[in-house]
Amino acid sequence: MSNAPGESGPPNPTNPTIPGPKIDGIEITQGIQYYKSDMHLTDPSDQKNDNSVMLVASKPAWVRVYVSDFSGSGGITVTGELIVERNSQIPPIWKRVDDVMGPLPSETISVSSVFDYATVRSDISSTLNFIIPQRYLSYNLRLRANIWQVDGGNKNNPDATYSSPLFFVMLRQTLRLRGIMISYSGIDPNSGPPPTTMNLDAPTTEDLQTTAAWTLTANPVQSQGSFSSAGTMDWSTPLTGIATAPGGCSTEWINLTAAVAQVKTNDGNRTDVIYFGLLPIGTPIQNVGGCALNGVSIGLNRDQVTMAHEIGHAAGLQHAPCNVPGDTNYPAYEPYDVKDTPNASLGEYGLDINNGNIHLPSAKDYMGYCFPQEWISLYHQKKLTDNKNFGREQLELSVSPIPGLPDPFVWPEYFQDPSSEEPNPGDIKIKPQNIISIIGIYNKNGQIEIQSIMRIFTLPKITGAVETSFEARLLGSKEEILSKGPLMRLETFGHECDCEKEKNSKNSEGPFAFQVIMPDVESGNSLNIVDTLTGNDGGQIVNEIWTRSATKSPPKIGSFSVEVSRDKGLAKWEGEFSSPYGIKFSLQFSKDKGRSWNSLAVELEKNEHQFNINEIPVGDLVFRLLVHDGFLTSYKDTQTVIPKHPPIISILNPNDSQKLISGRPMRLYAIINTATTPNLKTINFHIWQIDGRQVGDGGEGLTNDPLETWVAAPGTGDHECTLIIGYEDGKSIVTSKFTTIDYNR
Ligand SMILES: [Zn+2]
């Protein structure tokens, strides 16, 4: 699958006897694109056909129309129009979309008779620019551009016309993030002595969305993302320790890895989402994104580029080689790099669809450690296209409109319904099941420190983990093995680590976080962890390194209730809870009567927990209290109706992440997340305001579609953007702050 590359027919001036401006070609880009790459990339193996970077569906594209003037007079001013035709069916019927599109501000360009590739390519003011909104970016497209001179030209008899080849936009990809919302209450290492404590609230789904703006823009994913919360988790230790080994992580990060594994297990250990641990702004942290955790990316609220970098790892990217060992296949893009010396260069001209800012081919890819981590490279753009971690889907002609996103609070189909058999043998389906999860630390002295033992219904899958020589076992009264599972080392690597080899080794040297998952077959008499070694005579030596005997009886839950007032929910419980190993509570909820379970909170020690109802779906929910006594788990369910609340809306652009250039195009871009308000299918109106004045168009629409429109960025200074959205029975108002500056390259 690719866009049909190559050139179309030559431009055809309507009156060939009078030399006039002509169209050299067009570039259609969603982030980075090839255009006349032989005019700047000197290694033929780096050169590709125009527009051969594949477009993805439901993400806007910029069309740059390149104009030249061979009349020799120089200094003519031209304008133009773009006609977009789309086909979504078989046999093809081409339909013109919307009105004819006019160019973005400043709407005209002055064409010089002197052509300099780098000058023209590196500034949007050298080309006539058009936007194709995300709603038209799908199925098959073809474009036609017309240009005419502002002085003496005629729109109805254009000086030049250019018809594009066909573009096949049949791949849709979606960023599906599941936030692990971490609060921080602990010491402030920069205070004192004596040190004071700080209490920082857990970020919310709105924060997750806003922080993802840059990821959604730079990466080949559709404009709408799927965002949901996997609940909250408290953290109380500064993430400031020193790595335990070169390329390793500090003890604090290893402990955080183990804690995050509990949330994932409480949330079903899903593989259809990217788990992202979001720390509050101000969390004491030594180097942001200091460690890659097991299948979980982690970063600070609003740290947008770090989020993209961590999600890149989650989607299988290694580092771009620049101040860090990286992907050995990353190319050198000559002349920007020295031959055979890759240096994290982008390789082509990047364009930010939010504002038209150009990123030069010599700028650095965000997966490297050269700063600024400016944009996505050709190499990583390709790796992230057709990527299973972005839920790739092939669109089908004649299946229109494009289906919406799956409900993030319902386990996907491949979580096979436990009551049914696999429908087609060979389909890869994994069954959630009752398991015993053991999570802990194997420390540097070779001792096991248990953090959590849970019996829970979840996917029996540990992502980002490697088998060790250890095994955990559930034993019966005669020491017979009732159940067992390998002890998996949860990968926790320092960012500077060149760990590709290490990641696959069975290295059992501490310290590391681990998790065991084994079938929960019966209560059992004891749990142990053994090291299985091969002796000199070839026989197996089993060395017990940890054991725990059963508690006398499971925890007895008396009452469990969930009450709602205003936007807060309060879960409360009572019972007979005591254990030599300590008692821990966790909470889940289900919106489909117990088929799918979502994490609400873990590691609770009090007999109540307050939560924000805006983060969970409206309607009839089953809540589950799980009481873990270190050996057995008891649970109790209660039903509660979560009342109506607003959807989760974020303005993704403009926001405080970047400075915009006054007078240049600016995308107004917001998403309405109705995962928690599934009955809200349409909005009645939406109004965009800049500094209190209405701009752009507004109107009704489907909540599934992101809201976007383009306006000229206001004069230099600080500004506020406001979005007002009206529904049948209420409205939401969200704001964002941004700054504009003068163009001054
Ligand atoms: Zn990294």
Side-chain angles (χ1 to χ4, degrees):
M1 280 298 306
S2 76
N3 303 307
E7 307 290 314
S8 74
N12 45 352
T14 44
N15 188 345
T17 57
I18 304 168
K22 77 178 193 75
I23 299 174
D24 290 328
I26 63 156
E27 174 186 357
I28 178 166
T29 179
Q30 293 174 320
I32 191 164
Q33 187 55 278
Y34 289 103
Y35 179 73
K36 298 200 190 301
S37 56
D38 59 341
M39 293 190 72
H40 72 116
L41 293 168
T42 51
D43 178 351
S45 69
D46 292 334
Q47 300 165 1
K48 296 283 183 306
N49 288 327
D50 288 1
N51 299 312
S52 57
V53 170
M54 192 197 286
L55 302 171
V56 295
S58 303
K59 182 188 179 82
W62 277 56
V63 175
R64 298 186 70 188
V65 175
Y66 291 84
V67 181
S68 65
D69 173 29
F70 289 156
S71 66
S73 57
I76 62 164
T77 303
V78 301
T79 188
E81 64 185 6
L82 184 74
I83 295 151
V84 179
E85 291 177 310
R86 188 160 75 143
N87 165 50
S88 62
Q89 60 193 86
I90 304 171
I93 296 178
W94 289 91
K95 289 181 190 150
R96 183 183 281 200
V97 303
D98 209 84
D99 299 321
V100 171
M101 290 168 195
L104 288 167
S106 56
E107 299 177 16
T108 62
I109 52 168
S110 106
V111 185
S112 158
S113 53
V114 185
F115 176 81
D116 178 73
Y117 179 86
T119 306
V120 168
R121 195 84 199 284
S122 62
D123 190 343
I124 56 167
S125 67
S126 312
T127 47
L128 283 172
N129 307 305
F130 302 85
I131 295 286
I132 307 177
Q134 64 86 23
R135 65 183 179 278
Y136 300 136
L137 241 290
S138 46
Y139 304 109
N140 301 163
L141 293 179
R142 64 187 188 196
L143 316 177
R144 197 164 77 248
N146 295 323
I147 59 162
W148 58 91
Q149 293 192 46
V150 171
D151 292 326
N154 182 350
K155 180 181 173 141
N156 297 318
N157 183 19
D159 291 321
T161 290
Y162 180 95
S163 296
S164 78
L166 303 188
F167 298 106
F168 301 112
V169 193
M170 301 300 285
L171 175 73
R172 182 171 78 159
Q173 303 203 112
T174 309
L175 179 64
R176 296 183 299 193
L177 279 193
R178 187 86 167 159
I180 295 173
M181 308 304 187
I182 307 171
S183 62
Y184 180 82
S185 339
I187 63 156
D188 177 355
N190 297 320
S191 66
T196 55
T197 58
M198 56 203 291
N199 295 296
L200 306 170
D201 287 344
T204 62
T205 305
E206 186 190 342
D207 294 319
L208 187 73
Q209 294 174 169
T210 307
T211 308
W214 201 84
T215 305
L216 287 168
T217 304
N219 287 337
V221 292
Q222 65 159 324
S223 299
Q224 179 70 281
S226 171
F227 299 94
S228 58
S229 168
T232 54
M233 183 191 107
D234 294 326
W235 191 248
S236 58
T237 327
L239 296 164
T240 51
I242 294 159
T244 54
C249 288
S250 65
T251 312
E252 292 81 1
W253 278 101
I254 293 170
N255 288 338
L256 180 59
T257 305
V260 153
Q262 288 186 51
V263 178
K264 281 176 70 179
T265 301
N266 199 46
D267 194 53
N269 279 329
R270 293 170 61 166
T271 54
D272 64 317
V273 291
I274 294 175
Y275 284 101
F276 195 92
L278 202 57
L279 292 159
I281 296 168
T283 305
I285 190 168
Q286 191 173 43
N287 46 346
V288 174
C291 270
L293 309 187
N294 69 304
V296 173
S297 311
I298 199 153
L300 284 172
N301 186 12
R302 308 295 153 135
D303 198 345
Q304 297 198 24
V305 178
T306 298
M307 180 188 265
H309 180 108
E310 297 303 327
I311 288 171
H313 284 312
L317 300 187
Q318 297 173 44
H319 284 136
C322 202
N323 279 343
V324 63
D327 188 333
T328 50
N329 293 318
Y330 198 102
Y333 295 105
E334 303 91 332
Y336 309 107
D337 302 323
V338 175
K339 187 171 161 48
D340 298 329
T341 313
N343 203 23
S345 299
L346 304 184
E348 253 292 2
Y349 287 82
L351 184 148
D352 185 333
I353 55 171
N354 287 335
N355 48 42
N357 287 352
I358 299 289
H359 302 287
L360 298 177
S362 55
K364 297 305 172 196
D365 182 85
Y366 67 75
M367 291 306 294
Y369 263 45
C370 289
F371 297 89
Q373 296 164 309
E374 192 169 316
W375 199 242
I376 191 168
S377 60
L378 285 172
Y379 182 71
H380 282 150
Q381 201 284 343
K382 190 166 185 188
K383 287 217 146 198
L384 293 181
T385 301
D386 205 4
N387 186 308
K388 67 177 166 40
N389 299 290
F390 287 159
R392 60 183 169 200
E393 301 161 81
Q394 288 295 330
L395 305 185
E396 283 178 56
L397 289 173
S398 18
V399 180
S400 174
I402 302 170
L405 297 175
D407 186 335
F409 294 107
V410 169
W411 287 350
E413 271 177 30
Y414 70 83
F415 270 54
Q416 193 189 347
D417 212 304
S419 60
S420 71
E421 285 307 309
E422 194 166 336
N424 302 305
D427 280 7
I428 300 167
K429 291 212 172 185
I430 322 166
K431 244 182 198 176
Q433 52 186 253
N434 291 312
I435 57 104
I436 303 174
S437 157
I438 307 175
I439 293 171
I441 308 291
Y442 182 72
N443 71 21
K444 64 176 190 295
N445 302 320
Q447 294 154 333
I448 295 280
E449 300 166 11
I450 297 294
Q451 291 206 343
S452 134
I453 295 180
M454 300 184 273
R455 300 192 187 220
I456 193 165
F457 181 67
T458 190
L459 206 70
K461 188 165 173 76
I462 309 171
T463 47
V466 184
E467 260 189 53
T468 61
S469 59
F470 305 125
E471 181 178 272
R473 299 162 165 186
L474 177 70
L475 303 177
S477 56
K478 300 187 183 84
E479 300 273 293
E480 75 279 21
I481 299 172
L482 301 172
S483 182
K484 62 181 183 178
L487 185 143
M488 306 290 284
R489 174 164 54 88
L490 302 178
E491 287 183 1
T492 313
F493 289 114
H495 243 146
E496 290 80 0
C497 178
D498 185 10
C499 298
E500 285 312 304
K501 268 179 265 146
E502 177 125 354
K503 276 180 180 170
N504 300 312
S505 77
K506 273 200 168 189
N507 179 7
S508 297
E509 215 170 287
F512 59 82
F514 68 80
Q515 183 170 18
V516 178
I517 284 183
M518 66 172 109
D520 180 13
V521 288
E522 56 179 277
S523 301
N525 229 43
S526 65
L527 284 163
N528 73 1
I529 292 173
V530 296
D531 194 0
T532 50
L533 305 161
T534 308
N536 291 335
D537 58 353
Q540 205 182 49
I541 305 166
V542 175
N543 193 4
E544 184 176 88
I545 56 170
W546 174 86
T547 184
R548 173 175 284 186
S549 54
T551 46
K552 289 197 180 66
S553 60
K556 287 192 184 64
I557 303 170
S559 64
F560 171 49
S561 66
V562 175
E563 281 162 23
V564 177
S565 69
R566 300 176 72 92
D567 59 349
K568 296 283 182 234
L570 182 64
K572 281 183 175 172
W573 52 90
E574 297 292 341
E576 291 171 34
F577 310 132
S578 75
S579 163
Y581 313 120
I583 294 279
K584 292 281 171 65
F585 305 104
S586 55
L587 292 166
Q588 297 175 315
F589 67 86
S590 172
K591 63 176 285 188
D592 55 4
K593 299 187 169 62
R595 178 188 169 271
S596 319
W597 289 99
N598 298 274
S599 175
L600 184 64
V602 299
E603 286 276 281
L604 304 172
E605 294 179 347
K606 293 182 192 151
N607 281 35
E608 62 174 49
H609 176 72
Q610 195 184 61
F611 57 93
N612 180 353
I613 67 163
N614 290 329
E615 300 284 291
I616 64 173
V618 298
D620 217 346
L621 299 188
V622 182
F623 286 83
R624 175 168 286 183
L625 168 72
L626 299 103
V627 186
H628 313 288
D629 74 357
F631 196 88
L632 297 168
T633 297
S634 300
Y635 68 85
K636 192 177 178 82
D637 295 346
T638 186
Q639 250 171 302
T640 302
V641 176
I642 299 299
K644 259 188 193 171
H645 57 70
I648 303 169
I649 302 166
S650 294
I651 296 177
L652 303 185
N653 199 72
N655 70 31
D656 51 16
S657 67
Q658 77 276 75
K659 287 198 166 65
L660 295 158
I661 296 165
S662 174
R664 289 278 174 106
M666 170 175 91
R667 181 187 185 197
L668 305 178
Y669 167 32
I671 56 174
I672 308 170
N673 178 351
T674 55
T676 56
T677 55
N679 291 327
L680 186 66
K681 305 277 188 219
T682 57
I683 58 171
N684 292 351
F685 68 88
H686 73 281
I687 296 168
W688 288 102
Q689 294 175 341
I690 303 281
D691 304 327
R693 238 170 20 112
Q694 185 173 339
V695 291
D697 54 5
E700 56 189 14
L702 298 172
T703 52
N704 238 340
D705 297 330
L707 300 174
E708 63 174 14
T709 189
W710 271 262
V711 298
T716 56
D718 294 335
H719 302 280
E720 187 176 74
C721 175
T722 305
L723 173 63
I724 305 162
I725 298 177
Y727 333 102
E728 203 180 332
D729 54 359
K731 66 179 178 182
S732 294
I733 301 175
V734 283
T735 60
S736 72
K737 303 239 185 269
F738 67 102
T739 304
T740 55
I741 53 171
D742 267 329
Y743 180 66
N744 187 9
R745 173 156 284 200

